[in-house]
């Protein structure tokens, strides 16, 4: 029926543009009368800072623009986020999008697209839909549509089509397909743009193929194209997504040496890089460098800096940046508010997070799923399980469907207090709502049972993982090794450790530290040192946790001095693990 409806629509004239639908004020608005957990803390912007003092949030500094800033700018790579720029869908494009998003097979999509007339309007509709899919990160659907254009349609593909396809393949880490698409572009005598090279470089970087990325970079120069900020930004972005932060910093320095001026997007990415690495003050230094070079921060830049401080629970610094953003005339959007909420959550101040949540609603910016998840997590971490559940239920009442993460933060709240029955209830709710628990969820249950000494249930979970479609990862075995070791079941712990090679898993620093910790509890100093030597020989280096369990194994000052010397020697070029 859906295919017939789509096909009938496709034959209609669609020169009229359908206006973007606006949400009703009642839709998505939180039900304040039912939000008991939130209402308790709406005290005219009063919150408690890290020193335990009451403080007020200045409402006058917050803009009242409805919904904050929107993000997205079509297919063009390197455009960054631009407020409120979205492609407008015609009725035909909207029906195509609705149909594709149902998750139908490629052949069905192709069959429906075959019915489109070979007109300029149809071409525009196809790529307007592709842009929407790109913004929603639906890479498979983009691949399906672009391959239809290339292989089956009467349209002649242009560089936009090839670029979209390279981007989609790159995002899925299918670098060979991205490479093949680039070669098809050349064979079709289509001239590659800087976006083409940028996307191909990014695809290689995300797959860890740095030599190939460098080769494309050199080829671009051979074609006479300058190394623009678009290309450098793609290079840095790809390296960050590929987990190669050091190389990303190196490319940033090369960018400056080559005389290519970093853009707002460049600095925003570097601020994100340092923020995620727990280097908030380096992120701040980067922000100052940016402003000193007359590069204007946008809302994403400020949000990245708020997030940098939020990750370390530095709520006062996060609030300062938030206020600077408002003073710069930028509208706080849901991402900015969420970042500030996260700061209070990480710092252990759920009331502060609740206040920001209330402020967001008061200013007309509707909380999203992430907002509710952050607040559930904030209450859960602070031990307020009832309030966490009240927010969770409130999220469902306003029409936001809880995801796996939503259930996970609530499960963590009850796991923290050791409520097995409640955690099992949440797990059952998850399954009833059509969500299949992943390895992370089952690892959480595994850890809960182990922490409470319920080893039979822990083994049952492991059996479910091994017999089902779940993949037991190194975290799974770390939990088993740690829990059995801490309970004194050394033999069982060693059995799991010996199993790792057959599972294709490599022990990490947590594995080794958990194993050492088991013998440390028994003050078996010599055994601890033996395992430590095994760890180093295996190429795994200690962290602060390793040093702590080794020191706990010591029975006299000589042993303590020996451990301290060994650890400091290994970290002579790094920050000392064991304080003086």
């Amino acid at each position: 029926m859906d295919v017939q409806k789509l096909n009938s629509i496709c034959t209609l004239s669609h020169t009229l543009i359908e206006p973007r639908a606006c949400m009703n004020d009642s839709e998505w608005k939180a039900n304040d009368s039912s939000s008991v957990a939130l209402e308790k803390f709406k005290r005219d912007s009063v919150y408690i800072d890290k020193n335990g003092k009451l403080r007020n949030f200045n409402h006058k500094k917050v803009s009242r623009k409805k919904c904050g800033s929107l993000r997205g700018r079509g297919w063009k790579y390197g455009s960054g986020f631009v407020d409120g720029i979205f492609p407008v869908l015609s009725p035909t494009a909207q029906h195509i999008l609705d149909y594709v998003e149902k998750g139908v097979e490629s052949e069905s999509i192709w069959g429906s697209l075959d019915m489109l007339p070979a007109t300029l309007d149809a071409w525009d509709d196809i790529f307007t839909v592709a842009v929407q899919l790109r913004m929603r990160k639906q890479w498979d659907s983009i691949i399906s549509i672009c391959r239809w254009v290339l292989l089956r349609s009467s349209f002649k593909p242009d560089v936009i089509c090839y670029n979209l396809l390279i981007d989609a393949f790159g995002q899925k880490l299918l670098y060979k397909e991205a490479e093949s698409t680039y070669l098809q572009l050349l064979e079709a005598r289509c001239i590659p743009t800087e976006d083409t090279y940028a996307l191909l470089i990014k695809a290689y970087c995300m797959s860890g193929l740095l030599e190939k990325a460098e080769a494309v970079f050199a080829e671009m120069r051979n074609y006479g194209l300058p190394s623009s900020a678009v290309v450098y930004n793609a290079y840095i972005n790809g390296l960050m997504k590929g987990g190669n932060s050091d190389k990303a910093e190196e490319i940033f320095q090369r960018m400056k040496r080559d005389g290519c001026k970093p853009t707002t997007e460049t600095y925003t990415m570097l601020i994100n890089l340092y923020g995620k690495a727990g280097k908030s003050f380096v992120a701040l230094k980067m922000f100052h460098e940016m402003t000193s070079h007359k590069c204007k921060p946008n809302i994403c830049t400020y949000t990245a800096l708020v997030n940098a401080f939020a990750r370390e629970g530095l709520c006062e610094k996060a609030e300062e940046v938030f206020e600077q953003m408002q003073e710069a005339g930028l509208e706080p959007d849901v991402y900015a508010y969420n970042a500030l909420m996260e700061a209070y959550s990480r710092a252990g101040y759920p009331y502060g997070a609740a206040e920001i949540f209330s402020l967001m609603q008061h200013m007309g910016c509707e909380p999203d799923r992430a907002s509710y998840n952050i607040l559930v997590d904030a209450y859960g971490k602070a031990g307020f399980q009832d309030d966490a559940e009240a927010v969770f239920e409130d999220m469902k009442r306003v029409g936001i469907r809880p995801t796996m993460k939503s259930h996970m933060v609530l499960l963590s709240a009850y796991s923290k207090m050791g409520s097995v029955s409640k955690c099992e209830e949440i797990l059952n709710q998850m399954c009833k709502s059509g969500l299949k628990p992943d390895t992370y969820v089952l690892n959480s249950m595994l850890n809960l049972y182990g922490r409470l000494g319920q080893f039979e249930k822990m083994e049952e979970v492991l059996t479910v993982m091994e017999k089902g479609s779940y993949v037991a990862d190194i975290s799974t075995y770390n939990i088993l090794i740690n829990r059995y070791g801490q309970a004194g079941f050394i033999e069982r712990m060693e059995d799991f450790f010996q199993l790792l090679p057959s599972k294709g898993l490599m022990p990490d620093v947590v594995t080794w530290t958990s194993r050492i910790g088991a013998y440390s509890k028994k003050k078996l100093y010599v055994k601890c040192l033996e395992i430590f030597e095994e760890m180093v020989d295996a190429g795994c280096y200690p962290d602060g946790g390793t040093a702590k369990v080794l020191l706990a194994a010591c029975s006299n000052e000589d042993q303590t001095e020996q451990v301290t010397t060994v650890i400091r020697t290994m970290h002579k070029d790094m920050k000392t693990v064991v304080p003086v």
Side-chain angles (χ1 to χ4, degrees):
M1 182 176 178
D2 289 324
V3 179
Q4 292 175 348
K5 184 178 180 182
L6 176 59
N7 290 342
S8 65
I9 289 285
C10 290
T11 61
L12 299 176
S13 171
H14 45 268
T15 54
L16 295 177
I17 301 296
E18 186 181 53
R20 186 173 179 83
C22 295
M23 289 184 183
N24 294 327
D25 288 339
S26 59
E27 191 177 1
W28 300 105
K29 177 104 37 185
N31 185 349
D32 292 339
S33 62
S34 62
S35 305
V36 179
L38 303 179
E39 193 66 35
K40 287 192 290 186
F41 305 111
K42 293 181 179 178
R43 306 288 191 232
D44 297 324
S45 301
V46 175
Y47 64 93
I48 303 172
D49 68 11
K50 66 181 181 180
N51 297 317
K53 296 181 180 179
L54 288 175
R55 297 184 64 192
N56 289 310
F57 195 99
N58 189 346
H59 281 206
K60 292 181 180 179
K61 290 185 179 180
V62 182
S63 167
R64 296 174 179 268
K65 180 179 177 182
K66 181 75 173 175
C67 296
S69 100
L70 302 175
R71 302 182 175 196
R73 186 182 177 171
W75 66 270
K76 181 173 172 60
Y77 183 81
S79 59
F81 295 127
V82 179
D83 294 351
I85 298 179
F86 280 88
V88 179
L89 299 179
S90 72
T92 299
Q94 185 63 60
H95 283 287
I96 294 171
L97 180 63
D98 292 343
Y99 182 65
V100 170
E101 288 197 312
K102 291 180 184 294
V104 294
E105 297 292 329
S106 289
E107 191 58 39
S108 298
I109 294 173
W110 284 23
S112 298
L113 293 175
D114 285 341
M115 302 299 293
L116 287 171
T119 63
L120 185 60
D121 282 344
W123 175 262
D124 287 341
D125 283 336
I126 290 166
F127 283 96
T128 302
V129 169
V131 166
Q132 283 283 351
L133 294 169
R134 182 180 186 271
M135 287 158 52
R136 301 176 192 191
K137 300 182 179 181
Q138 296 184 18
W139 311 117
D140 287 328
S141 297
I142 292 173
I143 291 169
S144 182
I145 289 173
C146 290
R147 283 178 63 81
W148 175 83
V149 172
L150 288 172
L151 304 176
R152 197 148 126 178
S153 77
S154 59
F155 293 110
K156 183 178 180 180
D158 62 6
V159 71
I160 296 175
C161 180
Y162 288 109
N163 286 353
L164 275 167
L165 201 48
I166 291 170
D167 187 24
F169 282 133
Q171 294 289 348
K172 288 176 65 64
L173 305 182
L174 299 172
Y175 73 89
K176 288 184 178 179
E177 286 81 352
E179 190 176 73
S180 175
T181 304
Y182 172 68
L183 295 175
Q184 288 175 45
L185 178 151
L186 296 179
E187 288 170 6
R189 298 194 176 184
C190 198
I191 299 172
T193 64
E194 66 176 9
D195 287 323
T196 311
Y197 291 110
L199 291 165
L200 191 55
I201 287 170
K202 181 182 174 185
Y204 283 136
C205 288
M206 288 176 67
S207 295
L209 302 170
L210 305 190
E211 289 183 6
K212 282 182 174 285
E214 275 295 319
V216 174
F217 195 81
E219 181 183 334
M220 181 189 66
R221 289 187 166 182
N222 291 338
Y223 273 100
L225 286 172
S227 305
S228 68
V230 168
V231 176
Y232 274 112
N233 287 348
Y235 208 158
I236 293 168
N237 192 10
L239 289 166
M240 287 173 62
K241 288 188 174 181
N244 202 330
S245 298
D246 292 340
K247 185 68 175 178
E249 292 181 73
E250 182 185 316
I251 296 301
F252 174 66
Q253 296 303 326
R254 184 204 293 183
M255 180 182 189
K256 293 194 287 187
R257 284 197 307 272
D258 286 353
C260 183
K261 187 177 179 182
T263 64
T264 299
E265 184 183 356
T266 317
Y267 282 112
T268 300
M269 285 191 294
L270 267 293
I271 290 169
N272 262 321
L273 185 152
Y274 291 120
K276 289 177 180 177
K279 300 176 181 178
S280 59
F281 286 94
V282 181
L284 182 60
K285 182 181 177 182
M286 190 60 57
F287 180 82
H288 289 154
E289 177 184 319
M290 175 185 188
T291 53
S292 69
H293 290 157
K294 309 299 180 185
C295 184
K296 189 176 180 181
N298 62 18
I299 190 167
C300 298
T301 315
Y302 283 105
T303 302
L305 192 54
V306 172
N307 267 320
F309 288 119
R311 285 186 180 93
E312 297 175 40
L314 301 172
C315 35
E316 286 187 1
K317 293 296 294 182
E319 185 189 335
E320 284 176 20
V321 176
F322 190 84
E323 290 179 355
Q324 286 174 24
M325 174 180 66
Q326 295 163 357
E327 288 165 1
L330 294 170
E331 307 288 351
D333 62 4
V334 68
Y335 302 97
Y337 282 114
N338 286 351
L340 193 56
M341 283 176 63
E342 187 69 35
Y344 286 102
S345 175
R346 293 280 183 104
Y349 303 124
Y351 300 172
E355 167 58 26
I356 301 303
F357 187 96
S358 301
L359 179 64
M360 176 169 29
Q361 292 177 306
H362 180 71
M363 292 300 124
C365 182
E366 299 300 336
D368 63 5
R369 183 181 287 108
S371 312
Y372 282 96
N373 288 348
I374 291 167
L375 195 53
V376 170
D377 196 34
Y379 283 129
K381 285 177 179 175
F384 302 142
Q385 289 78 18
D386 291 343
D387 290 336
E389 186 162 9
V391 175
F392 184 85
E393 293 301 322
D394 198 49
M395 172 169 59
K396 292 193 287 186
R397 276 194 293 273
V398 299
I400 299 178
R401 185 171 180 263
T403 60
M404 180 70 73
K405 184 172 182 179
S406 310
H407 287 90
M408 192 59 234
V409 290
L410 185 61
L411 188 146
S412 296
Y414 283 102
S415 176
K416 185 181 177 70
M417 65 180 289
S419 178
V420 173
S421 59
K422 195 66 183 178
C423 289
E424 290 173 342
E425 181 185 320
I426 294 166
L427 196 59
N428 288 332
Q429 282 179 14
M430 215 182 293
C431 296
K432 286 178 182 177
S433 63
L435 294 170
K436 182 183 177 183
D438 58 11
T439 300
Y440 186 80
V441 172
L442 294 182
N443 281 351
S444 297
M445 294 302 295
L446 201 69
N447 193 42
L448 174 62
Y449 291 137
R451 181 159 55 89
L452 298 177
Q454 298 181 15
F455 296 111
E456 286 185 11
K457 284 194 172 183
M458 191 165 73
E459 293 283 355
E460 286 174 12
V461 173
L462 181 63
T463 301
V464 168
M465 294 179 76
E466 290 177 338
K467 290 184 177 179
S469 58
Y470 306 98
V471 178
D473 56 16
I474 190 61
S475 295
T476 308
Y477 285 93
N478 285 347
I479 291 167
L480 293 164
I481 289 167
N482 182 54
R483 291 305 174 193
Y484 276 118
Q486 290 300 304
F489 297 109
I490 301 294
E491 188 176 341
R492 187 64 176 144
M493 177 194 76
E494 291 291 359
D495 287 343
F496 280 116
F497 183 80
Q498 298 303 324
L499 266 178
L500 293 179
S502 65
K503 299 292 183 181
L505 298 171
M506 181 78 70
D508 60 14
V509 67
V510 176
T511 320
W512 290 104
T513 300
S514 297
R515 191 171 167 225
I516 294 170
Y519 292 103
S520 175
K521 284 191 76 173
K522 297 180 179 294
K523 291 293 182 180
L524 297 173
Y525 176 73
V526 175
K527 182 64 176 177
C528 288
L529 282 188
E530 286 177 7
I531 297 172
F532 180 75
E533 288 175 9
E534 283 182 54
M535 173 184 179
V536 175
D537 290 342
C540 186
Y541 293 91
D543 62 7
T546 317
K548 185 177 178 181
V549 294
L550 280 172
L551 288 170
C554 300
S555 301
N556 56 55
E557 290 184 5
D558 289 342
Q559 291 176 350
T560 301
E561 186 177 347
Q562 184 181 4
V563 169
T564 304
T565 303
V566 169
I567 297 294
R568 283 179 172 170
T569 301
M570 292 193 66
H571 289 261
K572 61 184 178 181
D573 296 323
M574 300 159 56
K575 183 179 178 181
T576 303
V577 172
V578 184
V580 178

